[in-house]
Amino acid sequence: MRTRTFGGRTAALLAAAVLAAAGLAGCGLKSGSPMVDEVTPGKLGLGEPLKGASLTVTSKNFSENIVLGQMIGLVLKAAGAEVLDRTNLPGSISAREAVAKGDADAMYEYTGTAWITYQGNTEPIDDPQAQWEAVRDADLKNGVAWLPQSSLNNTYTLAISKKNNAKYGLKTLSDVAELARKDPSAVTLCVENEFASRQDGLPGMEKAYGMKIPAGNIQKMDAGIIYTQVSKSDSCLLGEAYTTDGRIKAMDLDTLADDRRFFPNYNAAPELNAKTLAKYPVIAELLDPVTKKLTTEVAQELNAKVDVEGQDPHEVAKEWLLKEGFIKEG
């Protein structure tokens, strides 16, 4: 299950995350394995500017973030570095603390997660660039450096099967609110437990859109089951979804626009230990071209390879970097 952390979490969730991070720190982050791929510079890493460097990459424990972490590792390896792979850490807090403390050097993080969860703000910033700048500036004191963000925005949406949407023609969350007013029984919704109770989840969305979904029309279940239920069942007209999830396209779903911009922006950007970036500033030149190519559509494609086709995240990342010409096989 994907770990997502937001403002408005329960005290129990926060305590669990902090304990997980403390346990990880206590064991000294000893897990991980060297990247042994025989990769060489393509468009990136010519002259192997990182030869002699020993760097560690990390990620959270859901498919997209693992793929992104593998991309960083492969690009650094092609540029000559020895790379230790410590991706797939349990939860956001663990990976974040690893970078902040210097147990890891780099990962892809999401601006909304940083702004709300790590930096303690309660209101997102509407403009994605302004939010990234605010996150970057606030993290200077934490020893964390941010490189420019991608247009990849892994935020929340509601999904509906194209088959069902042929009847309703829903395009926005405002359309859902209108349908709920006109025909409350029509709007059945499947969500995760957390989303159902957080103010930046279902309760806040209902308030922002003047939407009222009868409690009896809401079912709670694991994220993976939601997609199947929305696609193949009549019990969930709509389901909570992530905008970059590969199952959206694979299961022939429509996603609804957040026309009132309720949900925060979760643009992916490289987050580095500040001392690492100061020592190896060339990392910015290596990762910027990769980040510029990362869109929500690209993420959907890559995530589908993992979550729908069952491919290995490392191989998915490598295949994409090779296809884009960023690295070459050694």
Side-chain angles (χ1 to χ4, degrees), residues 2-7 9-26 60-61 89-98 101 109 113 117-118 194:
R2 301 168 57 155
T3 300
R4 295 287 297 260
T5 50
F6 299 80
R9 294 167 300 167
T10 63
L13 179 64
L14 178 58
V18 171
L19 284 172
L24 190 65
K60 310 178 196 190
N61 61 342
L89 293 187
S92 294
I93 300 292
S94 300
R96 159 73 175 195
E97 286 299 298
K101 292 178 178 178
E109 184 53 274
T113 305
T117 302
Y118 309 142
E194 222 182 293

Side-chain angles (χ1 to χ4, degrees), residues 54-99:
S54 181
L55 300 168
T56 299
V57 295
T58 191
S59 80
K60 310 178 196 190
N61 61 342
F62 61 90
S63 300
E64 175 178 295
N65 206 242
I66 297 169
V67 170
L68 295 178
Q70 295 295 323
M71 286 182 187
I72 293 178
L74 287 162
V75 168
L76 300 183
K77 175 108 178 129
E82 292 296 322
V83 177
L84 189 64
D85 178 2
R86 285 177 175 158
T87 55
N88 200 20
L89 293 187
S92 294
I93 300 292
S94 300
R96 159 73 175 195
E97 286 299 298
V99 172

Side-chain angles (χ1 to χ4, degrees), residues 18-296:
V18 171
L19 284 172
L24 190 65
C27 71
L29 241 172
K30 296 298 183 187
S31 61
S33 56
M35 276 194 177
V36 296
D37 304 77
E38 294 292 333
V39 290
T40 59
K43 296 175 186 175
L44 304 176
L46 292 172
E48 297 191 336
L50 290 176
K51 197 165 186 66
S54 181
L55 300 168
T56 299
V57 295
T58 191
S59 80
K60 310 178 196 190
N61 61 342
F62 61 90
S63 300
E64 175 178 295
N65 206 242
I66 297 169
V67 170
L68 295 178
Q70 295 295 323
M71 286 182 187
I72 293 178
L74 287 162
V75 168
L76 300 183
K77 175 108 178 129
E82 292 296 322
V83 177
L84 189 64
D85 178 2
R86 285 177 175 158
T87 55
N88 200 20
L89 293 187
S92 294
I93 300 292
S94 300
R96 159 73 175 195
E97 286 299 298
V99 172
K101 292 178 178 178
D103 289 327
D105 296 293
M107 67 177 289
Y108 269 97
E109 184 53 274
Y110 301 91
T111 56
T113 305
W115 181 244
I116 292 173
T117 302
Y118 309 142
Q119 297 174 3
N121 301 288
T122 56
E123 296 295 326
I125 298 174
D126 281 348
D127 179 73
Q129 181 65 18
Q131 182 171 269
W132 174 81
E133 290 173 2
V135 164
R136 176 200 61 189
D137 295 347
D139 252 349
L140 291 173
K141 67 180 184 297
N142 298 319
V144 174
W146 286 75
L147 299 182
Q149 67 179 346
S150 66
S151 65
L152 184 168
N153 183 20
N154 186 356
T155 191
Y156 278 116
T157 183
L158 293 184
I160 181 172
S161 70
K162 289 186 185 295
K163 178 186 70 175
N164 284 334
N165 208 20
K167 175 180 178 180
Y168 294 104
L170 303 177
K171 294 182 178 178
T172 67
L173 295 182
S174 290
D175 292 342
V176 177
E178 182 62 22
L179 178 61
R181 278 191 289 272
K182 288 181 176 177
D183 187 3
S185 64
V187 182
T188 51
L189 179 63
C190 288
V191 297
E192 293 177 282
N193 280 324
E194 222 182 293
F195 184 80
S197 59
R198 284 200 319 266
Q199 287 307 308
D200 55 349
L202 179 57
M205 182 186 74
E206 287 187 294
K207 183 178 179 181
Y209 282 90
M211 181 190 304
K212 185 58 185 170
I213 301 174
N217 289 13
I218 300 169
Q219 297 184 62
K220 300 171 188 175
M221 57 189 68
D222 287 341
I225 301 173
I226 292 172
Y227 290 93
T228 304
Q229 289 296 304
V230 171
S231 174
K232 298 182 178 179
S233 164
D234 291 329
S235 63
C236 304
L237 179 70
L238 298 155
E240 166 202 350
Y242 300 109
T243 50
T244 60
D245 201 296
R247 288 166 289 198
I248 291 170
K249 187 174 182 180
M251 294 187 176
D252 210 24
L253 307 179
D254 286 335
T255 56
L256 306 182
D258 179 14
D259 50 310
R260 294 193 179 179
R261 300 182 66 87
F262 167 70
F263 293 117
N265 297 298
Y266 287 88
N267 294 90
E271 176 190 82
L272 280 74
N273 180 274
K275 290 180 180 177
T276 299
L277 186 59
K279 186 174 181 180
Y280 303 109
V282 72
I283 291 176
E285 297 174 30
L286 295 170
L287 295 184
D288 281 353
V290 175
T291 302
K292 285 177 182 174
K293 283 281 188 177
L294 293 173
T295 64
T296 298

